């Protein structure tokens, strides 16, 4: 740990950051945005299928139908 390369970014006090560097050359504080979770099934998101494009579209259609039915019920009563 002590022999790992250092970040070297300038801190607000003007000194160099002494935190260990990640592969991109900066520490976790100065390294920028994370690349995020892996895409696709490697991330484990397809457990139940709730967020597949088909399921999301089905929920949107159902919400639209419910909205229309509520408007129709309000107009009648």
């Amino acid at each position: 740990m002590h022999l790992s390369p250092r970040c070297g970014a300038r801190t607000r006090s003007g000194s160099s950051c002494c935190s260990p560097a990640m592969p991109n050359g900066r520490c976790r504080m100065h390294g920028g945005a994370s690349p995020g979770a892996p895409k696709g099934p490697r991330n484990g998101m397809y457990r139940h299928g709730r967020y597949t494009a088909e399921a999301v579209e089905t929920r949107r259609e159902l919400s639209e139908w419910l909205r229309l039915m509520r408007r129709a019920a309000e107009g009648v009563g």
Side-chain angles (χ1 to χ4, degrees):
M1 182 72 179
H2 295 290
L3 300 177
S4 62
R6 299 294 152 181
C7 171
R10 291 282 167 205
T11 62
R12 292 180 0 178
S13 65
S15 61
S16 292
C17 176
C18 297
S19 297
M22 297 187 298
N24 66 358
R26 294 295 183 199
C27 70
R28 60 190 179 89
M29 299 297 230
H30 299 111
S34 167
K39 303 289 184 215
R42 294 177 296 151
N43 191 21
M45 283 302 298
Y46 194 75
R47 290 187 190 137
H48 42 65
R50 181 174 182 169
Y51 298 105
T52 60
E54 183 179 345
V56 170
E57 181 62 29
T58 302
R59 284 197 302 275
R60 285 185 180 147
E61 287 177 11
L62 285 171
S63 295
E64 182 62 28
W65 276 105
L66 287 171
R67 216 173 291 122
L68 290 171
M69 297 299 280
R70 284 188 191 117
R71 285 185 192 154
E74 289 173 0
V76 173

